[in-house]
């Protein structure tokens, strides 16, 4: 049963990473196009003052959770943490060069917060469970 959970999280992580890459590199808002028929409209998952940056936060919390759960067995969180931070920077920088996309500091900050928060939370949970 335990191996099944790790396999599911592993495949979910890789699938989510590919989907996130497609969404980040698509010229315009693919989700906005699918929901509203408008490549220029970003969906707001939760109405908030940060706008679409909350989407970035939610995406990176989910992706990081899958990555860290996958790595719990190997205890190599730092590798996933570094990779996800680098990916979040690279993805956001690429927005500067992709048509109909824009580099946003708030999005980059939301990516960082999502990865860092999840990393710290997983470390705390493991610390509590080991005691």
């Amino acid at each position: 049963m335990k191996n099944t959970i790790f396999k599911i999280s592993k495949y979910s992580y890789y699938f989510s990473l590919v989907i996130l890459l497609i969404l980040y590199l698509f010229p315009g808002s693919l989700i906005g196009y699918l929901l509203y028929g408008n490549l220029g409209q970003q969906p707001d998952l939760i109405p908030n003052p940060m706008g679409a940056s909350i989407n970035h936060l939610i995406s990176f919390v989910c992706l990081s959770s899958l990555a860290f759960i996958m790595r719990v067995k190997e205890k190599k969180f730092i590798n996933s943490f570094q990779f996800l931070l680098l990916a979040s920077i690279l993805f956001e920088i690429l927005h500067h060069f992709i048509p109909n996309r824009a580099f946003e500091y708030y999005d980059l900050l939301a990516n960082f917060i999502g990865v860092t928060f999840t990393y710290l939370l997983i470390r705390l949970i493991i610390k509590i469970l080991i005691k």
Side-chain angles (χ1 to χ4, degrees):
M1 178 69 174
K2 201 173 190 180
N3 282 337
T4 304
I5 292 171
F6 286 113
K7 277 188 177 182
I8 290 171
S9 69
K10 183 177 182 177
Y11 293 127
S12 298
Y13 167 69
Y14 290 126
F15 178 75
S16 299
L17 189 59
V18 169
I19 294 298
L20 192 63
L21 184 65
I22 290 168
L23 292 174
Y24 258 88
L25 298 180
F26 190 81
S29 173
L30 185 57
I31 296 175
Y33 180 73
L34 294 173
L35 293 177
Y36 313 116
N38 183 355
L39 285 172
Q41 185 173 356
Q42 291 286 339
D44 281 335
L45 298 177
I46 301 170
N48 66 83
M50 285 178 55
S53 295
I54 195 76
N55 298 350
H56 290 254
L57 178 70
I58 293 168
S59 298
F60 274 91
V61 164
C62 292
L63 185 66
S64 299
S65 297
L66 290 170
F68 298 140
I69 289 169
M70 182 180 77
R71 294 296 199 147
V72 108
K73 205 165 149 179
E74 302 164 1
K75 295 185 172 119
K76 293 185 179 178
F77 298 110
I78 199 68
N79 294 348
S80 293
F81 179 70
Q82 291 168 341
F83 171 76
L84 290 168
L85 282 180
L86 183 64
S88 71
I89 295 168
L90 181 63
F91 288 173
E92 200 57 42
I93 288 173
L94 288 174
H95 277 182
H96 183 70
F97 303 102
I98 298 171
N100 300 322
R101 300 306 292 253
F103 175 84
E104 303 264 343
Y105 285 108
Y106 284 128
D107 292 351
L108 183 60
L109 180 63
N111 296 352
F112 267 46
I113 291 170
V115 173
T116 305
F117 170 77
T118 307
Y119 174 77
L120 295 173
L121 182 65
I122 296 287
R123 297 291 296 193
L124 179 66
I125 290 170
I126 289 171
K127 195 174 211 176
I128 290 171
L129 292 176
I130 290 176
K131 282 186 177 184

